[in-house]
């Protein structure tokens, strides 16, 4: 189901009965980028050191055929298969230690801000500043991302308090599509009058749930946090921000991207040591199944608004795999997209789950002029697809 407004009717502020109709607009975006980076070469050196250690420790089992020797990773493969050149991470040292292979993020006391809250506050403050607003103008915070560092109290309520926002907050998770689904929730809250403005914030610490010992996926993810401010149209100066013409959400169950980490793990005697308690995927299947679904969703969403692919000035696509994005853009446009039409940030950030398409939007939106149309589109685990068509005011 796609919800949209007739373009011709969009600017009207009164419905048939003369009552005021509230419209939501995107008035600001923000980004927190962890300062630490890991290049492909650095990641591969650490991975291959781990492989050597592992194979020498298990040389007897390998010689007896009871265990398979692990294979080394390669930078050239990573860049060719994914387009990723480096990633930003919360902690480099733990990931690059071949004896550890996971970030070092020590517990904090309950009186200190959580890591996700800290990231969220930086991104939210930038979004507020861009919109020329303060916390007093905001009534709600939605933390929408793939992993929350604790189940409760909700991270969003902590962010709400840290920013000094009155109102309400909640967490939600639709994996890579969390931000676009959160955006629709924010539009609903603003247009039904339950909030004047909503911050949708996506603190993605993907390194926490990535198996850095798995050759097939150790290079895929990075960390970052984005924020989007959604406000009532009448609170935003003319010419500022983006009209939201329509949102289109889709989900279809698949086991091809999965993570079985959860609160019931302690009820199973094998504990949390198995690889399925971290990110696992059938990458090829995901590529083949999701790419056509995304292209069809974008085309159907555009046509539901009487728009054609050529009307789009920009496509801010989910940033998981460069080849996937090029294929989707080609299917939608009927030709290759230029880098200006479909900007790429995954070379620097890798896959930051739900933050990816929003980072592309944040970094590549300021050159658009009034009336220019663009599409923000996420896709990933679930499967889930979120498409948001917007127009520069
Ligand atoms: N180094 C060298 N060679 C390698 C490596 C490596 N690291 N890994 C695999 N190879 C080899 C394989 O062994 C294989 O060799 P052979 O042909 O001899 O058998 C060859 O390279 C090709 O392997 P693949 O077929 O696996 O490689 P692909 O070309 O398919 O590329 C990708 C793998 C990059 C994973 C690709 O399939 C891909 O990106 N697919 C799309 C995945 C995607 O978009 N997933 C989205 C998931 S993200 C999401 O939804 C969020 C979830 C929540 C996140 C939570 C935080 C962690």
């Amino acid at each position: 189901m796609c919800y949209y407004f007739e373009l011709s009717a969009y600017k009207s502020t009164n419905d048939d009965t003369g009552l005021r109709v509230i419209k939501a607009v995107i008035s600001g975006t923000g980004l927190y980028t962890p300062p630490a980076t890991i290049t492909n070469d650095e990641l591969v050196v650490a991975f291959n050191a781990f492989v050597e250690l592992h194979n020498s420790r298990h040389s007897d089992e390998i010689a007896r055929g009871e265990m398979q020797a692990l294979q080394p990773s390669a930078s050239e493969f990573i860049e060719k298969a994914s387009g990723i050149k480096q990633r930003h991470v919360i902690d480099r040292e733990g990931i690059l230690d071949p004896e550890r292979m996971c970030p070092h993020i020590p517990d904090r006391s309950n009186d200190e801000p959580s890591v996700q809250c800290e990231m969220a506050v930086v991104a939210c403050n930038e979004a507020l500043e861009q919109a020329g607003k303060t916390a007093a103008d905001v009534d709600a915070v939605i933390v929408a991302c793939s992993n929350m560092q604790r189940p409760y109290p909700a991270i969003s309520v902590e962010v709400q308090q840290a920013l000094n926002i009155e109102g309400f907050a909640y967490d939600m998770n639709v994996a890579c599509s969390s931000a676009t689904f959160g955006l629709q929730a924010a539009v609903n809250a603003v247009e039904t009058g339950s909030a004047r403005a909503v911050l949708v914030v996506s603190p993605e610490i993907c390194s926490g749930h990535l198996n850095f010992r798995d050759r097939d996926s150790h290079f895929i993810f990075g960390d970052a946090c984005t924020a989007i401010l959604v406000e009532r149209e009448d609170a935003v100066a003319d010419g500022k921000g983006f009209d939201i013409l329509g949102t289109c959400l889709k989900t279809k169950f698949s086991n091809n991207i999965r993570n079985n980490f959860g609160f019931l793990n302690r009820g199973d005697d094998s504990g949390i040591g198995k690889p399925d308690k971290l990110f696992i995927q059938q990458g090829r299947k995901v590529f083949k199944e999701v790419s056509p679904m995304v292209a069809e969703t974008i085309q159907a969403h555009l046509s539901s608004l009487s728009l054609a692919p050529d009307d789009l000035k920009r496509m801010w696509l989910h940033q998981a795999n460069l080849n996937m994005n090029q294929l989707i853009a080609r299917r939608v446009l009927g030709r290759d997209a230029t880098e200006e039409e479909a900007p790429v940030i995954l070379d620097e950030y890798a896959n930051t789950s739900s933050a990816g398409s929003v980072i592309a939007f944040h970094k590549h939106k300021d050159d658009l002029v009034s009336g220019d149309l663009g599409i923000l589109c996420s896709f990933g685990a679930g499967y889930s697809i979120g498409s948001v068509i917007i127009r520069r005011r």
Side-chain angles (χ1 to χ4, degrees), residues 73-74 77 147 176 206 209 215-216 281 283-284 320-321 351 380-381:
S73 183
F77 168 83
N147 291 290
C176 291
C206 299
H209 264 208
R215 177 176 180 253
D216 290 343
Q281 75 164 350
R284 262 225 165 215
N321 181 295
N351 182 346

Side-chain angles (χ1 to χ4, degrees), residues 110-282:
N110 291 353
D111 298 324
E112 293 173 278
S114 65
V115 182
Q116 283 186 304
C117 177
E118 258 179 10
M119 297 166 80
V121 165
V122 177
C124 288
N125 278 332
E126 187 183 1
L128 287 169
E129 195 185 322
Q130 200 177 87
K133 294 293 158 71
T134 68
D137 300 305
V138 181
D139 291 329
V141 177
I142 300 173
V143 168
C145 64
S146 294
N147 291 290
M148 306 295 163
Q149 69 179 90
R150 62 167 185 264
Y152 48 83
I155 303 290
S156 54
V157 180
E158 187 188 356
V159 175
Q160 178 197 356
Q161 177 186 259
L163 290 169
N164 205 13
I165 289 172
E166 298 285 332
F168 66 95
Y170 60 89
D171 293 351
M172 55 177 279
N173 174 5
V174 203
C176 291
S177 290
S178 299
T180 50
F181 278 54
L183 204 47
Q184 176 167 299
V187 170
N188 292 346
V190 168
E191 296 192 346
T192 54
S194 61
R196 291 165 302 153
V198 182
L199 278 162
V200 181
V201 52
S202 303
E204 292 286 10
I205 310 181
C206 299
S207 62
H209 264 208
L210 178 54
N211 185 354
F212 287 98
R213 294 189 172 102
D214 175 37
R215 177 176 180 253
D216 290 343
S217 64
H218 75 113
F219 54 89
I220 288 182
F221 290 102
D223 305 331
C225 176
T226 54
I228 305 174
L229 183 65
V230 177
E231 284 193 83
R232 293 169 63 111
E233 182 190 32
D234 57 9
V236 181
D238 274 351
K240 271 204 117 186
F242 289 80
D243 291 325
I244 299 160
L245 303 186
T247 59
C248 182
L249 311 183
K250 234 181 213 176
T251 47
K252 188 173 189 297
F253 187 73
S254 167
N255 278 319
N256 290 333
I257 312 168
R258 196 164 169 123
N259 180 337
N260 286 333
F261 181 75
F263 78 106
L264 291 180
N265 292 158
R266 67 191 283 267
D268 181 274
D269 291 341
S270 57
I272 58 163
K274 290 194 288 190
D276 73 333
K277 305 302 184 294
L278 296 169
F279 168 86
I280 47 170
Q281 75 164 350
Q282 304 287 325

